[in-house]
Each structure stands twice: as structure tokens, then as C-alpha cells.
């Protein structure tokens, strides 16, 4: 009987220690479109966060504690994103890498601000995200007013005197990017021949393509996501149009090539300098490739978001979100995408967008944005 009691006490102590160890873990979150039309980018974010946590834990964790990842799906739906944000805040999770769509990041950020959660988006580019004086927001990507300027500069220099059309999908991201590109184009003395909207999720673009054909459009700029852009391109080619399609960073996933096939050759898009080619990313890229993962698009940006947060926690000596954000804005951080510094709004100080071109084999290469 005595031995049974001792065993029971030992088991109880073991369980208590186990629960105590578990309580010492720090849970952080990644939130994005794990399902739905933009799930390819949700996978990029999840891959980036998982690898960052594995590497941080292998190096001893954060403030001596192990990290645990909570993965949340917003399906790029604003209401679902707000619900996810409230769930993360109620769980007292101190940090979230997310979201992907600007239309998700913006409403979610308000719930995070109220719930004391620090948010770094790897991908949301709409300027409004950092323009509302919220204490808790930052991003490791650029903004649409930067991206639109590069696109407009490229178009003005390389398609001077040509017929230009601008389309958008009415979303926060797509409409915002199209508006910024139009503004910069008009300032450069280029007036588009057509400015038209469609709905995200549309499949039939033949009416729009017929207008592009009628107006002899040489280049169509699309403010929208990769699925609709791919369908627009295919339907242009089906009607015999050789019009060049150009879009933003939402084309930075190989799923675009799977939609277009060889027809995607020559398609242009803007994105930051490819982080996979940076010396700072070499070792991490090799780790991804060893797991048969191509760290394209926003994979390394998500990894960088976790690096910034973890280094700032170490500097602040706490996971308290407000203190960590103060540290983030006061410091300079070594990441896979290079050294990052943040301004008072939470935007990074050093990102240049460049222009990429898709090839017939389903890959893309950087081209000189000045067209020289």
C-alpha cells in the first residue's frame, strides 16, 4: 500500500512538473488564409512561421522558454479575421504574424490593439494599415504607394504612347494598389484608356477582355489576386490578345503559373527583391529546400517577422506587447530579408520594389525596373 502511495505521489509530481513546463511555453500565432482562394499564401506564412519557431527553439527559445505556434485561418474574410483576432486576444497571445490580405489585417488590428496583441504583417501592403496611429502594428513588407510608384514608373518608361488599362477587384488590397498605380501614372503624364472593376471570385472575364480588345490595349494593370489575374490572362489569350498583363505582389506564387500554363510567359509583377537570393537567407533557404519547400513569396517575410519579434523580446526582457513594440521601433534587426528598421508608424525604412517577369517554365526572374 505504501509503495502504491509513493507511486501515486511520484506520478502526481511528474504530472505537475509536466503541466508547469507546459505553462512555461510561449504561444504565438500566425494568421492568414489557410483555406480559400489565397490559401497558397497562407501556406507560405505557415511554412515561414514553423521554420522560424523550430530554429528559435533549437537555439534555446525566447527568454529561455519554448515557443508554440497557434495557426489561425481567416480565409481572407474581414469578419472571420476579426473573429480570429478576438480569439487570439482572449487567449492572451502576445504576438501574431499576420494577416495576408489587407482587408483582413486592418479590421483584425483594431481587435489586437484592444486586446493587447502585437501584430506584424508579412504581407499586407495597404497604407491604411499603418496610418491609423495604432500602437501595435508593424509590417516587414512595403506599401502600395511604394509598389504603385514602381509599377507606374516601369509602365511610363516602357509603354510610352501605348494604350493602358487598369483593372481592380474592389478589395482593400486590389483597389488600393490600382488607385496608387493610376495616381502615379497620371502624375507621370500617362492617362489610362480604361479603368474598370470586377468582383473577387469572378470566373468569366470575357466582357472585360472584349473591351480590352476593342480599345487595342497594349498593357493591362490588374490590382487584384493571382487567381483572377490568371483567368483574365487565359481569357485574353483565348480571344487572341497579346496584351501584356502586369500586377502586384499577389502574383508571387507558383500557383499563378499552374493557372496560366505557358500563357503566363511575359506577365509582369512588382515585389521586393527576392529574399531567397540574399546572403542573409542562404542557410535558412537550404533548410527549407531540405524539407522540399520553396520559400517563395512571403515565406521568408513571415520568418523575418518572427525574428524581429523574438530579438525585440530579448532586448526588452519581456513579452509585454507594448514594451516589445517600443523596442522594435527603437532598434535595428538582423533578419533573413536583411537588416530592418521601423519608423514611428510601423513601416520599414528600407524596401525597394522591383519588377519581375514570368517565363514559360513557370518561374520568374527580376528585371531592371527602369527598363534599361
Amino acid at each position: 500500500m505504501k509503495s502504491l502511495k509513493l507511486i501515486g505521489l511520484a506520478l502526481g509530481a511528474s504530472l505537475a512538473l509536466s503541466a508547469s513546463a507546459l505553462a512555461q511555453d510561449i504561444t504565438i500565432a500566425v494568421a492568414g488564409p489557410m483555406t480559400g482562394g489565397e490559401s497558397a499564401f497562407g501556406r507560405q506564412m505557415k511554412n515561414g512561421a514553423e521554420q522560424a519557431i523550430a530554429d528559435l527553439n533549437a537555439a534555446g527559445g525566447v527568454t529561455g522558454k519554448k515557443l508554440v505556434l497557434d495557426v489561425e485561418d481567416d480565409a481572407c474574410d474581414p469578419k472571420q479575421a476579426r473573429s480570429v483576432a478576438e480569439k487570439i486576444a482572449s487567449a492572451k497571445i502576445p504576438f501574431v504574424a499576420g494577416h495576408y490580405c489587407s482587408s483582413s489585417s486592418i479590421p483584425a488590428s483594431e481587435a489586437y490593439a484592444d486586446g493587447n496583441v502585437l501584430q506584424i504583417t508579412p504581407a499586407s501592403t495597404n497604407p491604411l494599415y499603418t496610418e491609423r496611429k495604432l500602437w501595435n502594428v508593424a509590417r516587414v513588407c512595403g506599401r502600395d504607394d511604394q509598389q504603385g510608384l514602381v509599377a507606374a514608373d516601369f509602365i511610363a518608361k516602357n509603354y510610352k504612347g501605348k494604350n493602358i488599362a487598369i483593372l481592380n477587384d474592389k478589395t482593400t488590397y486590389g483597389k488600393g494598389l490600382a488607385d496608387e498605380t493610376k495616381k502615379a501614372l497620371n502624375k507621370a503624364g500617362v492617362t489610362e484608356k480604361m479603368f474598370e472593376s470586377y468582383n473577387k471570385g469572378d470566373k468569366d472575364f470575357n466582357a472585360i477582355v472584349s473591351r480590352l480588345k476593342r480599345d487595342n490595349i497594349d498593357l493591362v494593370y490588374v490590382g487584384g489576386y493571382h487567381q483572377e489575374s490568371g483567368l483574365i490572362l487565359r481569357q485574353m489569350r483565348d480571344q487572341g490578345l497579346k496584351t501584356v498583363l502586369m500586377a502586384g505582389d499577389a502574383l508571387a506564387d507558383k500557383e499563378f503559373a499552374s493557372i496560366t500554363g505557358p500563357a503566363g510567359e511575359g506577365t509582369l509583377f512588382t515585389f521586393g527583391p527576392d529574399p531567397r537570393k540574399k546572403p542573409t537567407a542562404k542557410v535558412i533557404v537550404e533548410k527549407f529546400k531540405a524539407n522540399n519547400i520553396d520559400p517563395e513569396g512571403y515565406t521568408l517575410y513571415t520568418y523575418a517577422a518572427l525574428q524581429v519579434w523574438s530579438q525585440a523580446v530579448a532586448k526588452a526582457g519581456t513579452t509585454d506587447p507594448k514594451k516589445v513594440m517600443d523596442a522594435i521601433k527603437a532598434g535595428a534587426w538582423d533578419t533573413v530579408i536583411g537588416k530592418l528598421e521601423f519608423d514611428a508608424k510601423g513601416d520599414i525604412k528600407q524596401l525597394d520594389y522591383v519588377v519581375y517577369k514570368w517565363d514559360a517554365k513557370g518561374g520568374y526572374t527580376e528585371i531592371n525596373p527602369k527598363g534599361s
Side-chain angles (χ1 to χ4, degrees):
M1 192 73 175
K2 189 176 178 182
S3 62
L4 282 174
K5 281 183 179 177
L6 287 171
I7 292 168
L9 286 168
L11 183 61
S14 173
L15 288 170
L17 281 169
S18 174
S20 173
L22 193 62
Q24 292 301 306
D25 291 340
I26 301 170
T27 299
I28 61 175
V30 61
M34 304 303 158
T35 61
E38 314 315 321
S39 60
F41 291 95
R43 284 193 297 274
Q44 290 178 5
M45 294 169 67
K46 183 172 178 283
N47 287 339
E50 286 178 341
Q51 186 63 56
I53 281 185
D55 291 343
L56 286 166
N57 283 342
V62 173
T63 63
K65 299 175 183 178
K66 296 292 185 184
L67 295 175
V68 177
L69 184 64
D70 174 45
V71 180
E72 297 291 344
D73 176 26
D74 67 13
C76 268
D77 175 76
K79 288 182 180 177
Q80 192 165 324
R82 174 87 194 198
S83 176
V84 161
E86 289 170 352
K87 177 185 174 185
I88 288 171
S90 67
K92 301 193 183 310
I93 292 173
F95 167 68
V96 58
H99 297 226
Y100 170 68
C101 292
S102 294
S103 57
S104 290
S105 276
I106 291 170
S109 65
E110 294 162 2
Y112 292 135
D114 293 340
N116 199 34
V117 180
L118 192 158
Q119 177 188 9
I120 301 179
T121 176
S124 294
T125 53
N126 189 280
L128 188 61
Y129 173 71
T130 50
E131 290 290 342
R132 292 161 301 144
K133 298 181 179 178
L134 293 180
W135 68 268
N136 65 317
V137 297
R139 59 176 137 212
V140 293
C141 58
R143 295 166 43 127
D144 289 335
D145 44 3
Q146 298 168 319
Q147 189 169 190
L149 188 63
V150 171
D153 181 64
F154 181 89
I155 294 167
K157 284 181 167 66
N158 293 277
Y159 290 85
K160 189 175 182 180
K162 302 289 187 181
N163 294 326
I164 308 300
I166 301 175
L167 307 178
N168 76 84
D169 65 359
K170 303 179 186 175
T171 67
T172 305
Y173 164 73
K175 177 71 162 56
L177 183 55
D179 286 346
E180 292 293 347
T181 303
K182 172 181 162 59
K183 185 165 69 178
L185 264 178
N186 294 166
K187 191 174 180 180
V190 177
T191 303
E192 70 281 358
K193 198 166 184 179
M194 171 182 167
F195 189 89
E196 190 64 64
S197 299
Y198 59 89
N199 294 309
K200 188 175 184 300
D202 282 354
K203 300 284 192 290
D204 183 356
F205 296 98
N206 281 305
I208 285 177
V209 171
S210 293
R211 281 196 61 192
L212 296 173
K213 190 173 186 178
R214 184 193 69 199
D215 291 346
N216 296 312
I217 299 299
D218 297 293
L219 180 141
V220 56
Y221 184 86
V222 181
Y225 293 93
H226 69 296
Q227 291 200 330
E228 292 80 17
S229 296
L231 292 174
I232 290 168
L233 182 69
R234 279 177 50 183
Q235 289 170 39
M236 285 197 307
R237 299 298 179 257
D238 288 346
Q239 288 199 33
L241 271 73
K242 294 182 179 179
T243 305
V244 173
L245 187 143
M246 185 175 191
D249 55 301
L251 263 59
D253 187 274
K254 55 185 171 289
E255 197 170 271
F256 174 76
S258 71
I259 295 168
T260 64
E265 182 180 11
T267 298
L268 306 170
F269 69 97
T270 46
F271 192 50
D274 192 341
R276 293 173 298 183
K277 296 180 179 177
K278 295 194 174 194
T280 48
K282 188 175 186 296
V283 173
I284 308 303
V285 168
E286 287 170 358
K287 286 185 181 181
F288 277 111
K289 290 186 174 177
N291 292 320
N292 294 315
I293 294 171
D294 178 7
E296 64 178 337
Y298 284 107
T299 307
L300 293 173
Y301 285 82
T302 307
Y303 190 105
L306 269 73
Q307 285 182 302
V308 169
W309 175 80
S310 63
Q311 289 173 45
V313 167
K315 181 110 180 186
T318 176
T319 58
D320 178 87
K322 288 189 171 73
K323 291 178 180 176
V324 174
M325 182 57 90
D326 287 342
I328 286 173
K329 291 178 179 176
W333 313 102
D334 293 316
T335 78
V336 285
I337 62 174
K339 189 175 283 291
L340 298 180
E341 292 180 80
F342 295 81
D343 64 18
K345 295 177 182 177
D347 289 315
I348 52 172
K349 296 179 180 179
Q350 55 287 88
L351 181 85
D352 295 318
Y353 279 98
V354 294
V355 178
Y356 293 83
K357 182 186 284 189
W358 279 95
D359 59 38
K361 295 179 181 177
Y364 54 80
T365 53
E366 184 180 322
I367 61 175
N368 191 317
K370 298 188 182 303
S372 57

